[in-house]
Amino acid sequence: MMQKLNRKNTEIVEELLPQIEKFIESRETYIKALEKTIELLKREIEFKSKTTTDFKDSIDEILLIQRLATKISTSLNYEDIVTELIELTRQIIPVIDCNVYIYDDEKRKFTKLSSRGSEYLDEVMETYIEDGIIDYVLREKRSIVLPDINSFEERNFIVVPLILRNEGIGVYLVHTSKKQMEFTNQILLLLSILANQTAVAVENSRNYNALLKTTEELKLTQAQMIQAAKLAAVGELAGGIAHEINNPLQILLGHIQLIQLGRDLPKRIEIVKEQVEKISQIVRRLLNFSRKVPEDFKLEPVNINFAIQEMITFMSYQFKYNDIELTLKLDPALPLVYGNKIYLQQVFLNLMINAKDAMPEGGKLVIETKLENGNVIIKFSDTGVGIPDDIKDKIFEPFFTTKGAKGTGLGLSISRWIVRKHNGEIKVESQQDKGSTFIIILPLNPEQQI
């Protein structure tokens, strides 16, 4: 019975063995497939992790570039630009020393953009120039890494070209402890981008400094032109000024002669004092007016009526001599305005002289001041020859004159420039053979009203 049972079990096992073997084989296949799947998943996770890291690094690099660009846009100082460049470079690689060297066309050599940097760095720069390395970097427009042969440790120099409009204008020389094998194209590319941003900053700074220089030269030229016009006016008024001084001098001389004759007059001291004071005022006003024009355009409270009356002092004899009747309609309540008295008086004198020249046979000049719509209005109206319609648009142009060799053609041009510097306007109304009216409009800022 037992033998029969064992035989039956053996037959069952033999019958199931192929199925068991097949199951084991399938299980091994499944395990291998599962292991392969796990490996693929691990690789995909690593790839995604690396992609995320690379993306983060790219964002960091963009932020670095943006930071430098922001710094450049707000600073035009070489030291500030280089300081920011070095700070950003330290976030990319370790920095021992560095500086930017720009080629100076006038001096025909490279000069340091910043006062920082060691003598050793300058010596290395000179060596690279002599060896043609700098020329190669600028010509090829590519960064190179060179070993520091004078160091016992592994140190390197990075020479990065500064490119502007496809032209090399200098190099960024960096001394670093980073090993040469650790440099990647990505690092060199980022340094190149930073260097090129610096090149743009250098040009902006140069343009700004050139603009400042041009502005200063323009200020000087304008001041010289105004001074020349003032002196020309003083020269034209010399006869009248001499007459104004001569009158009190004659009175003084007469009193001196009376004193010599032993004749005494009451209040003689007061009379002498009055005449001396009159001469003193004329000389003082002349000195104040003819002194050098300041290059800076400083504003201060100005009494327009008083400024006009001071100029009339110089013109009163000219008006009498040329049979010109002067009428003043000055608003006594006219507020003080913020302006430059010296410059404004030049305008007033120019217009008085022009009015006198426009009335060679005599006539009438009316000077009026008033406050209108928040502006100070100043009018000079004459009964002279007037201005032909075909030249009205030209009279404010530099060097345009109808006076021939007698005129410089600068009076009205300078006057318009001065009025515009006061944010004002000057215009003319004229009819030929009937006279002209020059109107000056000076804005009165309520916040500055005195």
Side-chain angles (χ1 to χ4, degrees), residues 96 147-156 175-177 179:
I96 299 172
D148 181 0
I149 59 175
N150 296 317
S151 175
F152 294 106
E153 302 175 15
E154 184 174 352
R155 295 181 174 181
N156 294 285
H175 193 196
T176 178
S177 58
K179 294 178 174 56

Side-chain angles (χ1 to χ4, degrees), residues 136-204:
Y136 169 80
V137 168
L138 294 177
R139 184 177 63 252
E140 297 298 323
K141 301 179 180 63
R142 55 179 294 185
S143 304
I144 61 172
V145 181
L146 299 170
D148 181 0
I149 59 175
N150 296 317
S151 175
F152 294 106
E153 302 175 15
E154 184 174 352
R155 295 181 174 181
N156 294 285
F157 286 100
I158 314 164
V159 186
V160 188
L162 271 65
I163 307 300
L164 184 67
R165 289 189 291 273
N166 207 35
E167 292 292 332
I169 66 168
V171 296
Y172 179 34
L173 183 60
V174 184
H175 193 196
T176 178
S177 58
K178 191 174 187 66
K179 294 178 174 56
Q180 192 160 17
M181 61 179 296
E182 295 175 353
F183 278 94
T184 63
N185 290 332
Q186 188 176 8
I187 290 175
L188 295 178
L189 176 61
L190 181 57
L191 290 175
S192 295
I193 293 174
L194 295 179
N196 289 339
Q197 290 280 357
T198 304
V200 174
V202 170
E203 183 183 46
N204 289 343

Side-chain angles (χ1 to χ4, degrees), residues 50-282:
K50 185 176 184 304
T51 301
T52 302
T53 302
D54 291 344
F55 182 70
K56 183 178 180 301
D57 291 342
S58 297
I59 291 178
D60 291 341
E61 292 170 1
I62 292 172
L63 290 175
L64 286 175
I65 296 171
Q66 183 187 27
R67 181 179 171 188
L68 179 61
T70 302
K71 183 69 175 182
I72 289 172
S73 65
T74 57
S75 176
L76 294 168
N77 181 276
Y78 289 152
E79 292 289 343
D80 292 342
I81 293 170
V82 174
T83 298
E84 186 66 15
L85 174 63
I86 292 171
E87 182 180 338
L88 293 175
T89 303
R90 286 198 175 103
Q91 298 182 34
I92 304 169
I93 60 172
V95 176
I96 299 172
D97 198 4
C98 58
N99 209 337
V100 175
Y101 296 83
I102 302 294
Y103 187 75
D104 190 322
D105 290 323
E106 293 182 2
K107 297 179 180 178
R108 302 182 66 84
K109 67 176 185 177
F110 286 90
T111 58
K112 293 197 298 185
L113 193 62
S114 168
S115 59
R116 67 175 66 244
S118 64
E119 292 182 3
Y120 179 54
L121 194 70
D122 296 340
E123 292 172 2
V124 171
M125 179 65 184
E126 288 298 325
T127 301
Y128 287 169
I129 293 173
E130 293 173 2
D131 293 345
I133 294 173
I134 301 301
D135 183 61
Y136 169 80
V137 168
L138 294 177
R139 184 177 63 252
E140 297 298 323
K141 301 179 180 63
R142 55 179 294 185
S143 304
I144 61 172
V145 181
L146 299 170
D148 181 0
I149 59 175
N150 296 317
S151 175
F152 294 106
E153 302 175 15
E154 184 174 352
R155 295 181 174 181
N156 294 285
F157 286 100
I158 314 164
V159 186
V160 188
L162 271 65
I163 307 300
L164 184 67
R165 289 189 291 273
N166 207 35
E167 292 292 332
I169 66 168
V171 296
Y172 179 34
L173 183 60
V174 184
H175 193 196
T176 178
S177 58
K178 191 174 187 66
K179 294 178 174 56
Q180 192 160 17
M181 61 179 296
E182 295 175 353
F183 278 94
T184 63
N185 290 332
Q186 188 176 8
I187 290 175
L188 295 178
L189 176 61
L190 181 57
L191 290 175
S192 295
I193 293 174
L194 295 179
N196 289 339
Q197 290 280 357
T198 304
V200 174
V202 170
E203 183 183 46
N204 289 343
S205 183
R206 282 177 170 176
N207 291 340
Y208 176 73
N209 291 330
L211 181 61
L212 283 181
K213 182 179 179 181
T214 302
T215 302
E216 290 302 318
E217 291 175 350
L218 180 60
K219 283 183 180 179
L220 178 60
T221 300
Q222 289 171 336
Q224 290 172 342
M225 289 178 64
I226 294 173
Q227 185 68 17
K230 288 175 68 173
L231 294 178
V234 170
E236 185 172 343
L237 300 176
I241 294 171
H243 180 80
E244 292 295 328
I245 294 176
N246 187 58
N247 284 341
L249 282 176
Q250 291 298 324
I251 295 174
L252 288 173
L253 182 60
H255 280 277
I256 292 172
Q257 290 173 344
L258 290 174
I259 291 173
Q260 289 174 336
L261 294 174
R263 297 180 183 178
D264 191 18
L265 288 177
K267 298 183 180 180
R268 186 187 304 281
I269 294 178
E270 286 79 1
I271 295 173
V272 170
K273 182 180 178 182
E274 181 183 344
Q275 299 306 314
V276 170
E277 181 62 28
K278 185 179 293 185
I279 294 172
S280 176
Q281 287 181 358
I282 294 172

